[in-house]
Amino acid sequence: MPTTPRPADFKLTGLTGTLRCCQLFSGLSAEDLMVIAGFVVVQKLAKDEYLFHEGEPARGCYLVQSGAINVHRVSAIGKEQVIHVFRSGESFAEAALASPTGYPANARAVEPSTVLIIPKAPILELIGRRPDLALRMLGSMSSHLRVLVGMLDDLTLKDVETRLLNWLVKHSPTSTGGTIRLPGTKRVLAAELGTSSETLSRTLGRLRDQKLIAVSGKEIAVRNLPALQGMLRRNLGEH
Amino acid sequence: MPTTPRPADFKLTGLTGTLRCCQLFSGLSAEDLMVIAGFVVVQKLAKDEYLFHEGEPARGCYLVQSGAINVHRVSAIGKEQVIHVFRSGESFAEAALASPTGYPANARAVEPSTVLIIPKAPILELIGRRPDLALRMLGSMSSHLRVLVGMLDDLTLKDVETRLLNWLVKHSPTSTGGTIRLPGTKRVLAAELGTSSETLSRTLGRLRDQKLIAVSGKEIAVRNLPALQGMLRRNLGEH
DNA sequence: GGGATTGCTTGACGCAGGTCAAGGCGCGCC
DNA sequence: GGCGCGCCTTGACCTGCGTCAAGCAATCCC
C-alpha cells in the first residue's frame, strides 16, 4: 500500500540497503530486513571516540556502516593489543549477544565512523524465529574465531620481520607490488603488528637496504613483490 | 511402550546421561537428547592419537566424554601452540559446523580418551528446529572466543612468571592454597603456558626458593596463596 | 641387577626485540 | 623567520627466554 514516503521510511529503506550488503544479513527476506531496520540504532563516532569499553554490559552487536573500528584489549600497564580493525560491512561483538557478561574488549573509532547498533533483545527474539539467521551468526562468530586463531600464531610462531612481510604482501595493491599508503602513523602500524615503532623502523630499514621496498613518509612502495613473497615463504618454511 | 531393553537402548540412555551433563545440551528435553544420542558417534582415542588435523574437512563438533583433548596449531617449523585442553563435559569445534572450510587447528588426545562426534548435518537440522539450541551454540562459541581473547593477552602482555602465577592461583583448590596434582607431565604444562619445560622448571624453582610453593613430582603444594596473588597483582600492575 | 628410556633440573650461551636517549626532519603557529 | 612539537630513525644497552648440553632420578623391561 504505497503512500507518500515519510522521512522515517526513507531512513528504513536506506538501512535495509546497508543491512542487505553485509555478510551477516545478506539473503534475508525483505520483511526480516525491515524488522531489523526497525530496531537498529544508528550511532556516529568521531575519530578516537570509544564505542564501548571492556567490562561494560553489552547492549548488542554492531555493524560498521562507514569508517573503521579498532577492537583491542589493554593490559594493566596500558599496553594496547589490537584484536582486529573492522571496516565497512563487517559485524562484530556477536559474542556479546549470547553471554550475560560484559564486553571482553574495547572498541574505538580509528576515523570518523557510523555504526549500527543491533540491540540484544529484539535480535535474539528474531533469531528464535529465524533459525537460518542463527546459523549465520554461528558462521560469523566462527570466522572471528579463525581470525583470533590466526593472530595467535602470528604472535607466537613468527618474528616481526615475517609479520611485516605478511602485512606488506597482503596490502600490495597490484600483483607486481605498487605503493601502499599507510592509514595511520607508523606507530599505529607497529601496534597492529604487535611491536614497537623502533623495531618496525629497523625492520623497514632492512627491507629498504635490500631494495625490496622504498619508504617515504606514509608511502611504502613495494619494488619487488615476488621477492617479498619468496622471503615470506622462506621465513615460514624453515627456521 | 516399554519392551525388554536391547543393547542399543542401553547405549542410548547412557549417552543421554552424558549429553545431559554437558554445558551445551543441559536443559534440553528428553526427546531432543534422544534424537541427538541417535546420531552421535562414539570414538575412542589412544594417548597421542589425533582426532583431526588442520585443514581436514569438518565432520562435526565434539564433546569430551572422558580424557583430555589438546587443541593446537603447529607452525611450519613444527612448533606447537596449545590453544586449549578440553576435558570431560566440554565441547569444541562448534565453529566447524557453520563454516564450509576445514578445521583451523589440530586435536590430539593427551591421554586415552572417549569423545562423542556430533555430525554436522543432523545437528544443523536440529538447530533449525530448536532455536534455543542455536542460542546455546552461540553461547558456547562466545565463551571460546573469550578464551582466545584471554590467551591473546596472556601471550602478549605477560611474561612466563606471571602466566604461571595466574595458573597456580586459578588451580588452587582452597582459598589458602592446598596441593595441585598435575594432570600431565611438566612438559605438557609448559606447552599450555606457551613456554619450554626448562623455563618452567626455572620459574617453579624461583617460587620454591621463595617458599611460596613446594614441588615434588606431579604435586605442587601452594604454601602461601595470598602471597602468590599479591605477586600476580604486582606483576600485572606495574612493569 | 643393569642397561635403556623418559622426565626433570641446572648451567652456559645467543639472540630477538624492548627501552632509553639522542638527534633529524617536517609542520604549524605566533 | 624562529620556535616548539610530533614523528621517525638510529645507536647503545639490557633482558627474558629458547636452545644446547650435561648430570640425575625414576621407571621399565629383558
Side-chain angles (χ1 to χ4, degrees), chain B:
Chain B
M1 57 226 65
T3 68
T4 15
R6 288 161 300 137
D9 290 343
F10 274 136
K11 185 194 140 203
L12 285 188
T13 50
L15 279 180
T16 54
T18 304
L19 294 175
R20 199 195 316 278
C21 292
C22 78
Q23 178 72 15
L24 199 55
F25 298 125
S26 69
L28 253 57
S29 73
E31 302 109 278
D32 286 349
L33 289 178
M34 283 302 278
V35 170
I36 298 174
F39 57 70
V40 144
V41 180
V42 181
Q43 178 160 4
K44 288 190 176 299
L45 293 166
K47 178 170 166 10
D48 292 334
E49 192 179 346
Y50 274 85
L51 180 57
F52 56 77
H53 287 91
E54 189 175 336
E56 282 178 15
R59 300 172 65 180
C61 70
Y62 301 88
L63 182 58
V64 183
Q65 186 165 39
S66 69
I69 306 293
N70 172 341
V71 174
H72 61 278
R73 281 182 69 89
V74 14
S75 78
I77 47 169
K79 201 176 139 187
E80 203 173 273
Q81 173 61 49
V82 180
I83 293 175
H84 197 67
V85 178
F86 293 95
R87 298 181 186 278
S88 169
E90 297 179 311
S91 55
F92 61 96
E94 291 93 341
L97 294 178
S99 93
T101 54
Y103 297 111
N106 309 278
R108 166 166 37 78
V110 176
E111 51 192 79
S113 306
T114 313
V115 299
L116 307 184
I117 307 175
I118 301 167
K120 215 164 162 167
I123 191 71
L124 284 180
E125 195 270 339
L126 187 62
I127 289 175
R129 287 187 291 120
R130 291 281 181 281
D132 57 322
L133 183 53
L135 291 182
R136 257 153 219 284
M137 285 280 177
L138 285 174
S140 174
M141 285 184 59
S142 101
S143 80
H144 291 171
L145 270 172
R146 275 162 213 272
V147 167
L148 279 176
V149 167
M151 287 210 52
L152 262 194
D153 46 55
D154 265 22
L155 287 169
T156 55
L157 308 175
K158 296 175 196 164
D159 57 14
V160 173
E161 181 176 280
T162 312
R163 276 177 264 155
L164 175 59
L165 285 172
N166 190 33
W167 189 93
L168 287 171
V169 169
K170 274 215 186 94
H171 287 75
S172 286
T174 77
S175 62
T176 61
T179 127
I180 309 168
R181 180 162 188 85
L182 288 186
T185 89
K186 290 198 180 143
R187 165 156 260 108
V188 171
L189 173 57
E192 226 174 305
L193 294 173
T195 185
S196 66
S197 64
E198 292 96 324
T199 300
L200 173 61
S201 180
R202 279 183 244 277
T203 313
L204 281 172
R206 244 177 296 127
L207 296 180
R208 181 171 19 82
D209 294 347
Q210 297 175 253
K211 313 281 185 215
L212 297 173
I213 60 173
V215 185
S216 118
K218 290 200 183 314
E219 311 260 318
I220 302 180
V222 176
R223 293 245 165 284
N224 190 342
L225 183 56
L228 287 184
Q229 291 168 326
M231 198 166 166
L232 176 57
R233 244 172 295 125
R234 233 173 308 122
N235 278 7
L236 290 173
E238 29 102 338
H239 189 71

Side-chain angles (χ1 to χ4, degrees), chain A residues 167-168 178-180 182 189 204 213-215 218-222:
Chain A
W167 190 93
L168 287 171
T179 128
I180 309 167
L182 289 186
L189 174 57
L204 281 171
I213 61 173
V215 184
K218 290 201 182 311
E219 311 259 318
I220 301 180
V222 176

Side-chain angles (χ1 to χ4, degrees), chain A residues 11 15 37 39-44 59 65 114-117:
Chain A
K11 185 196 140 201
L15 278 181
F39 58 70
V40 144
V41 180
V42 181
Q43 178 161 0
K44 287 189 178 299
R59 302 173 63 180
Q65 186 165 38
T114 313
V115 299
L116 307 184
I117 308 177

Side-chain angles (χ1 to χ4, degrees), chain A residues 73 76 99 102 128 131 146 149 153 236, chain B residues 73 76 99 102 128 131 146 153 236:
Chain A
R73 279 181 71 89
S99 93
R146 274 163 213 275
V149 168
D153 45 57
L236 291 174
Chain B
R73 281 182 69 89
S99 93
R146 275 162 213 272
D153 46 55
L236 290 173

